[in-house]
Every structure is written in structure tokens, then in C-alpha cells.
Amino acid sequence: MTTAFRNWQAVQQEVLRRIHAREWAPGDLIPNEADLASEFGCARATVNRALRAVAEAGLLDRKRKAGTRVALQPVARATLSIAVIRQEVEEKGARYGYALLERSMTRPPAPVRAALNTADATLLHIRALHFADGAPYALEDRWINPQGAPGVLDQPFETTSANEWLLEHTPYTRGDIALSAQSATVAEARDLGCDAGAALFALTRNTWNGPVAVTRVRLLFAPGHSMQADL
Amino acid sequence: MTTAFRNWQAVQQEVLRRIHAREWAPGDLIPNEADLASEFGCARATVNRALRAVAEAGLLDRKRKAGTRVALQPVARATLSIAVIRQEVEEKGARYGYALLERSMTRPPAPVRAALNTADATLLHIRALHFADGAPYALEDRWINPQGAPGVLDQPFETTSANEWLLEHTPYTRGDIALSAQSATVAEARDLGCDAGAALFALTRNTWNGPVAVTRVRLLFAPGHSMQADL
DNA sequence: AAGTGGTCTAGACCACGTC
DNA sequence: ACGTGGTCTAGACCACTTT
């Protein structure tokens, strides 16, 4: 006799067990929801909830009519949590500091124009440093579209970072992120207090609110920085 | 009169609209599920589904009894999809290539032992190169615990990468990932065909199957590599 | 103690994709 | 055409927290 699986977490655990134990091997078609429900002694909605969760984790492929199959090559999905830099620093138990380096209205260089699709508009350009315990932590290079961030031109950003202000005052509907590595230029090395040519972790992020570009920011982290995530 | 919101996606969209329009401002307590259900003209379960989805995206904080609040600082969550390297290369439209550099049973250095918590066991050490259109794409440095990957010792890994074999044959229950930037050592530069000291994007990943370590891998990507994700 | 979200149920209908 | 997952409903009970 099988124990009854009364809640969706229990069903999920049993499904995961069968996958890991290869009772359901990669590529296999598993029983449909109705059959599993009667086997597990619960409602179909409960099985659905469990299978949906496992599918979202990438271990199952579900298709109407075709049924549910164990994923052949489970694509690992790591979820990065990207918080405000001040939070990130303080969560590491360090004292946060901030300094504005530059604030101007400028026509951005071609790559920025292309990424934001803002043609030849003049954007607010902010360069700033974030510190952890007095040491440079990250160098922020940001372009803000005043059209997409009402009120931004009234902000001096001398004590509060654009990073923080935008998150609280400017909604966005979509965005993308790119992570990469790059060598520190002489200027960047000076700002970050490292050697020129040092390997830096870079995060570039664009956000939009509907069709209108809000901001593009490139964060260069001091050498040794790493981002963690769980699978 | 309000239009009826008949499905959870429509409810979700309306909730997002209210958050973005600041009708529900950060920190605000929003109406409870029952009230929203009657306002939207749908069942409470439908509202629940929608609110749960928004909360999973980080825009709402939900607590029993305390109610649902708009998140003060929505933590951006970027989901990285980490596929098999061969897939990754082929999806870019390039021809994939693979070469084994080293295969041995060795006692790993301290950092690896510590990360995997394998005490002084002897592990399988694999070093290999992945190519895209003939050019080095990524350098793989991997340690495999034979205890966690039955059958791995029978694999030569001369034509099929450990990356691929493990994903298909070895289940895991948890893992972690770290992303960072580092300078190429002389040896790494030789393998990757770049200059020593070049900034490389590094991905280090540990996986376990329950309490037993399965593998630890460090992937060093050729200069210029970036990882993309959406928000 | 009471209010809120979390979940389960049984049944129903629908949408999609394969056959 | 038809089988499968996707979703909705109405009602119910439970679990967690705050009051």
C-alpha cells in the first residue's frame, strides 16, 4: 500500500524521489494528472500544483495532450538576487559609504544609445562610488532617461545614490542583465583603488517602463567580488 | 464599473498596473484576497494564484494575518539558465568542439576539499577544453567524487565531456554557483589562447546528491564572454 | 481570539497539440 | 477528434501571526 500524499509538497517530494531514483528516467512519459491523483489519494489540483512546481524547476517538460516527460537535460536555473548596493554591503556586515563622482546632462556614446534605443536624446549621466568599510566596493556608471524617470532632474544624488532613488521612485516593467569580466582601465583602477588591468566583475543592466527606456547602469566591482546563487 | 478579471493572468496584470501606477505604493497594505475577489468578480483561489505569482517575483510581501504589502525594495531576481556547454555553443550557431587535457585520480587541493567536504578522499580530476568554431570557448577544471557519481570511473571522457555525461547520468539535489572575474594565469592563457593576465569570466559550481558531494567544476570562459538574463 | 493567507476538494469547462 | 494539462469555482478547513 502507498501512503497517502495529502499536500502538494509531499507529492512534489515523491515526484522528485522517483526522478532521482530513475524510476522515471529522463525522457520518460509519466502518468497523467488524473492517474497520479488517484494513486496518491488526493485531488487532481494538488497533483497539478506539485507537477507545476517541479516543471518550473526545470525537471519536467509539460505539454497539453503530449503529457508530462522527465526533462532530458535539466537546464539548471540559478536565481540571482540583485538588491540595492547599500543593502548588499550592510548584509555583509560592512559600513556603507557613497560618493558622487560626476553628474551631467550629456549625449551618451553610441553603445548606450543603441542599448536604450533613445536616438540622440540628452541623458543624465551619473558616475559614483560605493564603499564598504571605507574601501571602494563598486563603481557605478549610469545613464538615466529623464522621460522615463520623472523628477530625476531634481535629485542631486550627492548623498543618496541613483541606485537607491530609482528603485524607490521609478517603476519598470522589464529589464535585462549581462554579467562579464573586464580589465580595469587606468581611470577605473584609480577610482577603485586597484591596479590597472586587474580583472573586474561587471554587471550591466538596462531597464524599461513599457516602451520608454529608464536607465542603463554598469557596475564594476572591486577585484575579488563574486556573486552567489543556489540551484 | 470595473471590467471583470476572469483569469489569474488578468488579475496579475491589474495588480502590477496598480503597483506601477503607485495606486498601491511601496509599503502599503493591499486589500485581502476575499475583498479583491469580490471586486474582481472571480474566486478567491484565482486572486491567490495571481498574488502568489507577483509575490514570487518579489514585488509583494505576504504574511498570514498581517496581510499583503507592496515590497519596499523589490529585490530584482534574474534567472540564469545554465545549460550544457555544447548546447550553449550550438545555440550561438557555432560548431562545438571538445578536447580532454587531463584525467587522473588525485587528492584535491585544500580549497576543493573544503568546498566539497570530502576530507582526504581521492577524486577524479578532469581538465578539458570546449571550443566554438575551433576557438577555445571555455576551460573546464572539474573534480568528481566517484562515490557520488557511480560509473564515472568507467568513462574516458575523451570524446564526451564530463559536463554532459554527469548531467545525464548523475542526479543531484542541491548545488551552488559563484560567478566572478579573475586574471588568466600563464597556463590558463596558453590553454585558452589569450594573453596572460586577461580578465576571464569564471563560474564555479558545486553539486551534491543529498549529503554526498558529486562534483565541483570551475569554468573559465575565453575573454569577452558574458552571461545574459532577463528581469 | 480573530483575521489572513495557504491549501484541499470535487467538479467543470477550456485551450492546446497531437493524432 | 480527442486526450492532456490549464484553469476556474464555491466551499471548507487549517496554520500562522498578530492583537
Side-chain angles (χ1 to χ4, degrees):
Chain A
M1 106 165 211
T2 44
T3 319
F5 296 95
R6 308 205 132 281
N7 54 38
W8 72 267
Q9 288 98 334
V11 173
Q12 181 188 37
Q13 215 171 336
E14 171 63 9
V15 168
L16 288 174
R17 188 193 67 72
R18 293 186 185 184
I19 294 174
H20 288 141
R22 292 287 194 275
E23 287 178 27
W24 293 339
D28 279 6
L29 193 63
I30 76 173
N32 67 32
E33 295 188 347
D35 290 349
L36 286 175
S38 70
E39 180 192 339
F40 290 151
C42 64
R44 180 166 82 94
T46 305
V47 173
N48 179 280
R49 182 88 156 82
L51 293 185
R52 185 156 33 85
V54 177
E56 274 169 16
L59 288 165
L60 290 175
D61 287 331
R62 315 198 73 195
K63 263 189 232 164
R64 283 157 148 136
K65 167 71 181 176
T68 300
R69 290 180 181 279
V70 179
L72 277 173
Q73 295 194 320
V75 174
R77 294 169 137 210
T79 304
L80 297 173
S81 295
I82 296 157
V84 180
I85 297 182
R86 182 165 61 80
Q87 265 185 354
E88 193 176 310
V89 168
E90 286 170 352
E91 267 168 23
K92 293 184 179 182
R95 181 172 41 84
Y96 175 74
Y98 167 80
L100 179 65
L101 299 179
E102 181 190 337
R103 182 190 190 287
S104 63
M105 287 294 293
T106 318
R107 180 159 179 267
V112 174
R113 291 203 304 275
L116 289 180
N117 196 21
T118 50
D120 54 357
T122 304
L123 305 184
L124 180 60
H125 186 205
I126 302 282
R127 295 202 318 117
L129 261 177
H130 301 266
F131 298 89
D133 279 341
Y137 180 81
L139 177 60
E140 175 176 349
D141 187 311
R142 181 184 293 270
W143 296 87
I144 306 173
N145 180 8
Q147 309 268 336
V152 74
L153 295 180
D154 302 327
Q155 294 296 318
F157 294 127
E158 274 165 8
T159 56
T160 305
S161 75
N163 181 291
E164 207 152 340
W165 187 88
L166 282 172
L167 222 79
E168 185 157 348
H169 295 88
T170 314
Y172 62 89
T173 51
R174 66 195 169 88
D176 61 65
I177 285 189
L179 307 173
S180 62
Q182 63 174 83
S183 295
T185 65
V186 172
E188 288 159 358
R190 178 172 19 85
D191 289 335
L192 284 171
C194 64
D195 293 333
L200 303 180
F201 189 84
L203 185 158
T204 305
R205 173 174 165 175
N206 301 309
T207 55
W208 286 266
N209 191 5
V212 48
V214 174
T215 187
R216 172 188 175 86
V217 59
R218 191 187 58 165
L219 290 170
L220 278 181
F221 292 90
H225 183 82
S226 84
M227 291 190 72
Q228 308 280 338
D230 285 331
L231 286 180
Chain B
M1 120 171 199
T2 45
T3 320
F5 296 95
R6 309 205 132 279
N7 55 40
W8 72 267
Q9 289 98 334
V11 172
Q12 181 189 37
Q13 215 171 336
E14 171 64 10
V15 168
L16 289 174
R17 189 194 64 74
R18 293 187 184 184
I19 294 174
H20 288 142
R22 292 288 195 275
E23 288 177 28
W24 294 338
D28 279 6
L29 193 63
I30 76 172
N32 67 34
E33 294 188 347
D35 289 349
L36 287 175
S38 69
E39 180 191 338
F40 290 150
C42 65
R44 182 165 80 93
T46 306
V47 173
N48 179 280
R49 181 86 155 85
L51 293 184
R52 184 155 36 85
V54 178
E56 274 169 15
L59 287 166
L60 290 175
D61 288 330
R62 316 196 74 193
K63 262 189 234 166
R64 282 156 150 145
K65 166 71 180 174
T68 301
R69 289 179 182 281
V70 179
L72 276 174
Q73 293 194 318
V75 175
R77 292 182 178 182
T79 303
L80 297 172
S81 295
I82 297 156
V84 180
I85 296 181
R86 181 165 61 81
Q87 267 185 352
E88 194 176 309
V89 169
E90 287 171 351
E91 269 168 24
K92 295 184 180 183
R95 181 172 41 84
Y96 175 74
Y98 168 80
L100 179 66
L101 300 179
E102 181 190 336
R103 184 191 190 284
S104 63
M105 287 294 292
T106 318
R107 181 161 179 267
V112 175
R113 291 203 305 275
L116 289 180
N117 197 22
T118 50
D120 54 356
T122 304
L123 305 185
L124 180 60
H125 186 204
I126 302 281
R127 293 201 321 116
L129 261 177
H130 301 265
F131 298 88
D133 279 340
Y137 180 81
L139 176 61
E140 175 176 349
D141 187 313
R142 183 184 291 271
W143 296 87
I144 306 172
N145 181 8
Q147 309 267 336
V152 73
L153 296 179
D154 301 328
Q155 294 297 318
F157 293 127
E158 274 165 9
T159 56
T160 306
S161 77
N163 182 291
E164 205 153 342
W165 187 87
L166 282 172
L167 221 77
E168 185 157 348
H169 295 88
T170 314
Y172 63 89
T173 52
R174 65 195 167 89
D176 61 65
I177 285 190
L179 306 173
S180 61
Q182 62 174 82
S183 295
T185 65
V186 172
E188 288 158 359
R190 179 172 18 83
D191 289 335
L192 283 172
C194 64
D195 293 333
L200 303 180
F201 190 84
L203 185 159
T204 306
R205 173 174 165 175
N206 301 309
T207 55
W208 285 266
N209 192 4
V212 49
V214 174
T215 187
R216 171 188 176 85
V217 60
R218 190 187 59 166
L219 291 170
L220 278 181
F221 293 89
H225 183 81
S226 85
M227 291 190 72
Q228 308 281 337
D230 285 330
L231 285 179

